[in-house]
Amino acid sequence: MSVSDLFKPLTLLHGPAMRNRFMLAPLTSQQSDFDGTASEYDQYWMEQLAQGGYGLIQTSASTVEAGGIAFERQLGIHSDDHLPGLAKIASAIREGGGLSAVQLHHAGHRAKPSIGGIPAPASGKTLEGIKAITTEEVERIRDSFITAAKRAQQAGFDGISVHGAFGWILSEFMSPNLNDRTDKYGGNLENRARFTLEVIEGIRKACGPNFQIGWRLSIERYGLLLEELREVTADIFDRELIDYLDLALWDSAQIVRDGTFKGKTMLSVFTELPRKGVRLGAAGKIMSAQRAGQLLDEGCDFVLIARAAILQRDFPLQVRANPMYESPQLPVMADYLRQGGLSERFIETMRGWQTFIKAGSM
């Protein structure tokens, strides 16, 4: 398959088609206001990306409850006060010709008390001295995800993506290590997956047939079991509950080290599943036109661009102009990002990522 196939449109089960196979991964930039309102920096960043040629742009992880916050200056969608800023972002993306989605997030046990977070662990053993949340609290958070999706729809977004990765609340509930509950949200796999499925099904019911639902999934750490996640995904595909699966891999080429699928690529474990009308994409070190094209050969319907998008806001346009395009080598000077239009707040966030910004570069 050639790089030119990345520029073919992609239909989704609900709502409009993506104009090409490039999706912007949700990138936490920590440049919003302290109350979660989208700032002028968020707006400028999204305007840059909107002109960058993407088929679909996801916002950074956005809090569905004030207490579910994980990062200082995290974007919020837990209050109607956030609507005007979100509407401006949706509008900028639409004007650039791409589809838009808000990534819905709750940090669960990883909520940060120092910035107003209220840890919400699935188990009483995860955090010392903090009890597991009650069944009623799980249902309240589930409903907060659904209400946040309705807000995204009201703000003019084409859809949402449910953050089910990296040990945040939905991922945490899926993990047998972090979830030892005895209510309907704990125990066997069906019960541990219930929270995620109720969120997805509730959003579809509340937002209707033209709204798009993505689901971000990671497989590693936090006691997550690949075999189990494959089983849940197979069910979601079979019932066509989502429009697209976003596989968050640290490296899109990584190999399974042990268990049933030892020696296979992580990606192939999911691309081999029958997916009916659901689309599948992967993120993870996609830093060149050639690698993006290869992923379509490996069974992806689209690719998620993350680091490469921070380095070069218009990655899809670069690929269109040059099928041999490669991203700048990491780490880069802070000044390189500054000249590209990244805010000081965003640059500060990227300093926290080892190997992204050259140490000592101002």
Side-chain angles (χ1 to χ4, degrees), residues 88-262:
K88 278 176 78 174
I89 287 174
S91 173
I93 297 171
R94 190 165 50 252
E95 282 166 24
L99 303 183
S100 58
V102 177
Q103 192 193 39
L104 304 183
H105 176 259
H106 188 295
H109 79 280
R110 299 177 67 198
K112 222 171 168 183
S114 61
I115 51 172
I118 302 164
S123 163
K125 293 179 185 157
T126 307
L127 298 171
E128 204 175 322
I130 297 183
K131 289 181 181 159
I133 53 173
T134 64
T135 306
E136 291 72 28
E137 286 170 318
V138 178
E139 289 168 344
R140 185 203 74 221
I141 294 169
R142 172 200 67 199
D143 292 346
S144 295
F145 270 96
I146 296 165
T147 303
K150 284 167 77 174
R151 263 190 208 105
Q153 190 172 36
Q154 200 181 333
F157 286 86
D158 294 294
I160 54 84
S161 176
V162 175
H163 202 334
F166 308 146
W168 307 121
I169 202 160
L170 299 176
S171 168
E172 170 183 352
F173 267 71
M174 207 81 84
S175 163
N177 280 22
L178 294 172
N179 181 351
D180 60 359
R181 304 174 72 85
T182 54
D183 65 357
K184 64 180 178 178
Y185 294 106
N188 62 23
L189 176 59
E190 185 185 351
N191 283 358
R192 283 181 281 118
R194 189 184 303 277
F195 193 0
T196 296
L197 290 169
E198 286 185 354
V199 164
I200 290 169
E201 290 172 323
I203 291 170
R204 172 60 63 221
K205 196 173 168 193
C207 296
N210 296 319
F211 196 65
Q212 295 168 348
I213 299 176
W215 176 42
R216 178 158 245 220
L217 180 65
S218 64
I219 301 134
E220 298 171 291
R221 298 173 60 202
Y222 303 104
L224 294 164
L225 302 176
L226 177 57
E227 290 80 1
E228 286 192 344
L229 293 174
R230 186 179 194 261
E231 195 179 320
V232 173
T233 303
D235 174 54
I236 286 175
F237 283 170
D238 186 55
R239 294 197 281 145
E240 296 188 318
L241 295 180
I242 56 175
D243 290 274
Y244 57 89
L245 172 67
D246 154 6
L247 274 177
L249 305 172
W250 285 113
D251 184 340
S252 55
Q254 71 204 62
I255 304 294
V256 181
R257 296 208 185 105
D258 45 41
T260 314
F261 303 104
K262 186 177 178 179

Side-chain angles (χ1 to χ4, degrees), residues 285-333:
K285 295 188 180 171
I286 304 167
M287 305 295 282
S288 70
Q290 291 296 302
R291 181 62 189 137
Q294 271 172 6
L295 282 164
L296 298 189
D297 287 336
E298 289 174 31
C300 286
D301 296 302
F302 62 93
V303 294
L304 288 124
I305 307 302
R307 279 167 271 206
I310 298 172
L311 291 168
Q312 190 71 44
R313 255 59 80 226
D314 58 355
F315 183 84
L317 298 184
Q318 297 290 332
V319 171
R320 188 187 274 276
N322 174 13
M324 300 309 290
Y325 176 75
E326 293 197 16
S327 294
Q329 290 292 302
L330 290 169
V332 293
M333 303 293 278

